[in-house]
Amino acid sequence: MSRQGLANFPLDKVELEFHHRHRLLDPSARGVQRWEVSVLVDGQRVGLLHAVRGLFWKADDLRERLGDEQSFCGVVAEQVLDSAGRFSSAFEDFTEAASSLLVIERLDLQEQEPYADPLLVAAVVASVVDRLTENHFAVVLPTADVPVAGAALLAEAGRLLAAEPFSEELQIMDTSLAAPEEAANRVRGLLQSLARSGGGEGGESDWEDEDGGEDAEDVSVRTAAVLRFALEELSAQAWEDVAEFGDRPVGRGQGLVLGSLPRVTWARDRQWRRQMARCFDDLAADLAPGARSVVPGCTGEEMALHLAVDRARSMVLNRPALVERAVAGLPEDRGDLDWDWCSSVLFEDHDVLMLFDSSLDGIEDSGNDVNQAMGMTNLAAAAWFVPFDPEQGREAGRGFRHP
């Protein structure tokens, strides 16, 4: 796809305005909500996305309700709900545990570039999904063959957001799975990169190749400072966990760090946990004051960096005074504190995050079909600290911060 249409486009001025209205005492409004999402550029509306939110547990008969909406919703009702109003067996087999629907029904958008760009539309859809769904939602989009406004753009946006084809008319994103969220982060990261660079003149490689040159892993000075602070904080907490739990197994949410790791790590011993704590220390050292480059060298460091990016994002939202102190006196940059961009470019892939997906249990096994098909390496907990490139591995005798 060409990115020429987004060159010099004010992406930082794109806003979404959500509108939903129903009568307070209208019982029919409980199970189905119609939303209109305006796409605004510098305050002017350039598009309108129509979405219908179907809550199975609130609607008396979701099939009838969606069918009454007609248009694309009627097609969805016929294909994912049976005559008794229950989800069809084909739909239940297709999704992990979806209990509600968000139907992206149509998109009225100015057809000229840069508005009619699949990447921009994918980012809009991703934001709508974030706002109107939670876990256990199925997001349904039309394919290009459906005769509704914006079908071709919505179909391409679905592809970019890891939607899977359900039929000739429908494609579905399952919010219970990791892939759609990873794809959404990738879309946002690419848009953030375009916002920095003012666009580009590439073709399909703009989507397929995220490296962006030999310095793609460099972050701004302020970003590095906050990320280093997050790594140091996680390191301190990981070492507290080592001292508290030793060789004892942990469960979900236990400890300060250990219980937030994937389940495959919960029974590891004290020595493994010391190595995990050292991953935070090593990455923090890489981001010593003035440094702007950090490259995870093993699976443990990839996980540590993912946790640090999430912690840094949370710090910006919830601890602004601390962040302000961390960046005081440092030069400003357009890329400051852009955590979606960090998630997109600091990692070769996001395979390690699949370990959080219960539907993919066993994927860490090198004999697993998905593992082999995707060429995954070092996902088993025992291999987390094996260097990806032995020739560039860290000094084996560097020791530990704590005994």
Side-chain angles (χ1 to χ4, degrees):
M1 76 190 63
S2 172
R3 293 278 72 81
Q4 291 179 349
L6 290 177
N8 301 316
F9 183 63
L11 289 167
D12 58 338
K13 295 185 178 180
V14 179
E15 298 176 314
L16 301 184
E17 184 176 87
F18 289 74
H19 180 76
H20 165 68
R21 181 175 63 191
H22 73 269
R23 292 187 298 276
L24 179 63
L25 301 181
D26 183 1
S28 68
R30 294 182 64 246
V32 174
Q33 305 168 357
R34 177 169 287 282
W35 288 79
E36 293 182 347
V37 183
S38 296
V39 183
L40 308 174
V41 177
D42 205 13
Q44 300 297 313
R45 189 165 79 179
V46 300
L48 186 65
L49 184 144
H50 303 261
V52 177
R53 195 168 183 257
L55 306 176
F56 181 83
W57 53 281
K58 281 193 174 184
D60 182 58
D61 189 321
L62 188 57
R63 178 186 170 96
E64 290 185 351
R65 290 297 314 283
L66 289 179
D68 285 346
E69 296 291 321
Q70 300 179 349
S71 186
F72 182 55
C73 280
V75 177
V76 174
E78 290 179 2
Q79 295 196 22
V80 307
L81 295 152
D82 62 22
S83 58
R86 298 182 295 262
F87 285 121
S88 68
S89 57
F91 176 79
E92 290 186 336
D93 290 342
F94 190 85
T95 59
E96 172 71 12
S99 58
S100 293
L101 300 173
L102 179 68
V103 181
I104 307 297
E105 189 175 34
R106 73 178 193 271
L107 175 66
D108 300 308
L109 187 68
Q110 291 189 19
E111 296 182 358
Q112 73 272 25
E113 291 187 347
Y115 308 113
D117 186 288
L119 186 60
L120 182 60
V121 173
V124 169
V125 172
S127 292
V128 171
V129 171
D130 279 349
R131 179 66 62 88
L132 299 184
T133 73
E134 52 194 23
N135 205 10
H136 306 309
F137 259 80
V139 182
V140 188
L141 298 101
T143 66
D145 297 328
V146 178
V148 298
L153 281 170
L154 290 174
E156 182 64 13
R159 186 185 76 84
L160 297 180
L161 294 172
E164 296 288 340
F166 179 76
S167 68
E168 292 184 357
E169 295 85 11
L170 312 184
Q171 51 180 333
I172 293 177
M173 296 163 49
D174 188 343
T175 62
S176 300
L177 304 180
E181 180 64 22
E182 292 177 14
N185 286 335
R186 192 180 185 198
V187 164
R188 295 187 186 104
L190 286 169
L191 277 184
Q192 292 283 4
S193 296
L194 286 169
R196 283 194 191 85
S197 64
E201 298 183 354
E204 185 70 23
S205 61
D206 289 335
W207 170 255
E208 300 296 340
D209 181 7
E210 295 174 351
D211 291 343
E214 60 183 1
D215 296 325
E217 71 276 9
D218 286 357
V219 297
S220 74
V221 174
R222 287 186 168 218
T223 300
V226 177
L227 193 55
R228 182 177 67 255
F229 193 101
L231 285 162
E232 291 172 346
E233 187 173 80
L234 286 164
S235 166
Q237 293 176 344
W239 282 111
E240 285 186 44
D241 283 352
V242 171
E244 178 179 354
F245 292 96
D247 293 323
R248 290 187 291 117
V250 299
R252 186 180 305 279
Q254 287 189 310
L256 300 171
V257 173
L258 293 179
S260 65
L261 297 175
R263 185 170 56 183
V264 297
T265 70
W266 292 350
R268 305 306 298 183
D269 62 13
R270 180 176 180 276
Q271 178 60 16
W272 188 96
R273 291 166 177 172
R274 293 175 73 225
Q275 291 176 281
M276 187 65 220
R278 185 169 62 179
C279 287
F280 296 108
D281 292 330
D282 287 339
L283 293 173
D286 290 345
L287 287 172
R292 298 177 52 196
S293 178
V294 58
V295 181
C298 64
T299 301
E301 290 186 7
E302 280 191 333
M303 178 58 70
L305 190 55
H306 276 298
L307 294 179
V309 170
D310 285 345
R311 176 66 61 90
R313 189 196 311 268
S314 175
M315 288 165 56
V316 170
L317 292 174
N318 302 316
R319 302 159 72 186
L322 182 150
V323 171
E324 188 61 30
R325 290 194 297 271
V327 303
L330 298 178
E332 296 186 12
D333 185 273
R334 289 186 65 187
D336 284 342
L337 312 184
D338 186 345
W339 308 115
D340 288 335
W341 181 83
C342 287
S343 293
S344 296
V345 304
L346 295 183
F347 306 90
E348 183 175 342
D349 57 55
H350 289 179
D351 290 352
V352 70
L353 297 183
M354 293 185 182
L355 295 175
F356 288 108
D357 191 338
S358 61
S359 71
L360 297 175
D361 281 355
I363 197 173
E364 72 278 5
D365 185 348
S366 60
N368 179 277
D369 290 342
V370 176
N371 185 300
Q372 293 183 349
M374 297 184 66
M376 297 175 170
T377 59
N378 299 354
L379 288 189
W384 271 32
F385 312 114
V386 176
F388 294 139
D389 184 351
E391 294 184 0
Q392 297 183 11
R394 299 189 186 275
E395 173 58 46
R398 66 192 182 281
F400 292 87
R401 175 180 170 187
H402 295 290

